[in-house]
Amino acid sequence: MTFIEFIIIIPVVVAVAIGCGAPARGLSLLAAWVNLIFGAVVFAVILAKGGEGMHFQSARVLLDDPELTLGFAVDGMSGVLVLLTVIVTFCAVSISPENPGKGSGKLYYISLMLIAAGALGAFCATDLFFLYAFHELALIPTFLMIGIYGHGREQVATAWKITIYLGVGSLILLGGLIALYVNLSPSGGLTFDIAKLATAQGENPLSAEVQKWIFLPLLVGFGILVSLFPFHSWAAPAYASAPAPVAMLHAGVLKKFGLYGILRVAVPLLPEGFEAWKGLLLVLLLGNILYVGFVTISQRYLDRML
């Protein structure tokens, strides 16, 4: 197994062990320490090699037709996000209470571990299916943590709001990824492998019109996940109601998945689609900077302002 596989599987194993009765906080903190060390080693190797190319590659073929591969690798971009994830996970576990005060302490730490595992898997996956699946793995415990361990009078309503928003965003994103997978797969057979899809696009590029209409659901789906204007209104109440460790993991790590997906999948595989919607994207980004900035200025509560 590679360092990357260890980094992803450690929080999953710890979550299972906690569910079987192992000490929740102690084991979670140990896992966070180990992953912090592994993440630093991975980042050091990437720096030593100049940040170019894919490193720590692994691939296990699960299906032949369509080709489905449980594969992981990191380059300069994903390596930075892996390091960010292990640092924030360590900090989140470190400030987590021994007893969360309401709900099950085991569920609390199991959720933290699954959020971390999902984020790491999403950033390292080389297969479209698992890139999407790992992110969904991280979202489910996030909803539970806000609904069960959150604070404020509207925590349940906020949990439902984030569930609906991000659930709809995930469904739109799934539709875009399916369209991408079906249209871009090489003539030899269907594949989810991102590198093979990129090769197919280079050898037999999709028409500009097709790229345009596949890029749009990817932009909307990833945009909702990253709270792109006007799909931003779930973020402030979610972070204000969430326990601090969950807000750290979601705002500091999971939210980066939306931008990562656009840069890793949408732009390289659909360059003409990106060009077609670039003007709209710039307008929406201005909405984030200006409108959301004014909304932030008007806040009277520190947690919502942050």
Side-chain angles (χ1 to χ4, degrees):
M1 294 182 71
T2 66
F3 266 96
I4 293 301
E5 290 176 304
F6 273 116
I7 289 175
I8 295 168
I9 202 171
I10 283 173
V12 175
V13 171
V14 168
V16 173
I18 292 172
C20 294
R25 177 173 165 75
L27 196 57
S28 297
L29 195 55
L30 176 62
W33 264 113
V34 172
N35 263 8
L36 185 61
I37 295 170
F38 281 3
V41 170
V42 168
F43 189 68
V45 170
I46 292 172
L47 279 182
K49 296 187 177 181
E52 296 183 0
M54 304 301 288
H55 309 287
F56 302 101
Q57 296 187 61
S58 64
R60 290 174 173 80
V61 178
L62 305 181
L63 287 176
D64 291 322
D65 190 21
E67 184 183 13
L68 179 63
T69 305
L70 180 59
F72 303 105
V74 290
D75 58 5
M77 178 168 60
S78 53
V80 170
L81 292 170
V82 167
L83 183 64
L84 172 70
T85 303
V86 295
I87 290 174
V88 175
T89 300
F90 174 75
C91 295
V93 174
S94 297
I95 69 163
S96 294
E98 185 76 39
N99 184 353
K102 50 184 175 179
S104 165
K106 286 185 177 182
L107 179 60
Y108 186 96
Y109 282 95
I110 288 172
S111 297
L112 286 182
M113 290 293 101
L114 292 180
I115 292 171
L120 289 165
F123 291 139
C124 299
T126 58
D127 186 280
L128 275 183
F129 176 86
F130 286 106
L131 180 141
Y132 179 85
F134 272 108
H135 181 259
E136 296 308 298
L137 170 66
L139 283 185
I140 294 170
T142 302
F143 303 150
L144 292 175
M145 291 288 275
I146 295 175
I148 297 173
Y149 303 99
H151 48 82
R153 290 176 296 178
E154 299 180 356
Q155 72 177 74
V156 175
T158 299
W160 276 110
K161 182 174 185 178
I162 185 177
T163 301
I164 293 170
Y165 254 100
L166 299 187
V168 170
S170 293
L171 287 174
I172 294 172
L173 173 61
L174 179 61
L177 292 176
I178 290 173
L180 183 65
Y181 149 76
V182 170
N183 283 275
L184 256 189
S185 286
S187 57
L190 297 173
T191 181
F192 291 95
D193 188 280
I194 296 173
K196 291 182 179 180
L197 292 175
T199 300
Q201 166 66 1
E203 295 175 349
N204 187 23
L206 298 176
S207 69
E209 191 68 15
V210 172
Q211 290 191 41
K212 175 181 177 180
W213 293 113
I214 297 178
F215 188 90
L216 183 59
L218 295 181
L219 175 61
V220 174
F222 284 126
I224 291 175
L225 299 180
V226 79
S227 65
L228 178 67
F229 175 86
F231 313 113
H232 62 281
S233 61
W234 61 266
Y239 299 149
S241 298
V246 177
M248 291 165 64
L249 281 167
H250 198 281
V253 176
L254 277 185
K255 213 174 182 189
K256 308 300 182 284
F257 175 77
L259 293 174
Y260 176 78
I262 290 174
L263 294 174
R264 174 67 73 196
V265 176
V267 174
L269 298 184
L270 302 166
E272 292 185 66
F274 170 65
E275 288 295 327
W277 296 106
K278 186 166 61 176
L280 172 64
L281 180 58
L282 290 173
V283 171
L284 299 183
L285 292 175
L286 281 175
N288 271 102
I289 295 169
L290 298 176
Y291 180 80
V292 179
F294 290 133
V295 170
T296 304
I297 291 171
S298 71
Q299 291 298 324
R300 294 295 178 265
Y301 297 97
L302 181 61
D303 51 4
R304 283 179 174 260
M305 184 186 298
L306 293 173

